[in-house]
């Protein structure tokens, strides 16, 4: 209960510091993130159903279904992690690119 009250106070005070444009951008980001999360959950459930049909069709043991699910989810998480690592700028030149008049090397 205390944590929820603190979190609500933190969100309200943080929101008060943002400009209207920033609040609109955050709302848009949150809406898109919620939508993509819904798509990801639906895709996971669809993959689980299709995997179960294959396991059932070939009379494979149930443990194989769970193994396949763990492997598929693990590969998806690994793929996401690799893509995130590739998106990071190893030189940390984000500030240099955003600064006006910064020299390009």
């Amino acid at each position: 209960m205390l944590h929820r009250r603190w979190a609500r106070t933190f969100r309200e005070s943080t929101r008060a510091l943002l400009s209207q444009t920033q609040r609109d951008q955050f709302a848009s980001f949150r809406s898109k993130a919620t939508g993509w999360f819904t798509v990801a959950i639906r895709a996971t459930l669809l993959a689980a159903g299709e995997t179960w049909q294959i396991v059932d069709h070939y009379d494979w043991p149930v443990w194989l279904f769970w193994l396949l699910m763990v492997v598929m989810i693990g590969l998806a998480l690994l793929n996401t992690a690799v893509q995130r690592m590739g998106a990071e700028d190893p030189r940390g030149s984000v500030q240099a690119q955003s600064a006006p008049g910064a020299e390009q090397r």
Side-chain angles (χ1 to χ4, degrees):
M1 179 78 166
L2 184 60
H3 178 70
R4 276 192 277 175
R5 194 175 330 154
W6 175 85
R8 184 178 58 237
T9 304
F10 178 77
R11 279 192 310 271
E12 290 171 358
S13 62
T14 304
R15 193 174 299 133
L17 296 174
L18 299 176
S19 69
Q20 184 61 41
T21 303
Q22 290 172 324
R23 282 190 292 253
D24 292 343
Q25 288 173 339
F26 180 73
S28 174
F29 168 78
R30 192 168 176 170
S31 176
K32 290 173 189 173
T34 301
W36 279 112
F37 181 75
T38 304
V39 168
I41 291 296
R42 174 66 176 121
T44 302
L45 292 173
L46 183 63
E50 293 296 320
T51 303
W52 179 256
Q53 285 184 359
I54 291 170
V55 167
D56 187 47
H57 178 74
Y58 290 107
D59 293 324
W60 292 345
V62 175
W63 64 264
L64 186 58
F65 166 77
W66 291 109
L67 177 66
L68 290 171
M69 289 303 300
V70 168
V71 168
M72 287 189 297
I73 292 172
L75 287 173
L77 291 174
L78 179 65
N79 180 40
T80 302
V82 168
Q83 287 182 1
R84 293 278 303 157
M85 288 182 347
E88 298 292 325
D89 187 356
R91 295 177 293 140
S93 63
V94 174
Q95 288 180 339
Q97 291 175 354
S98 63
E103 292 183 19
Q104 298 282 334
R105 292 185 184 195

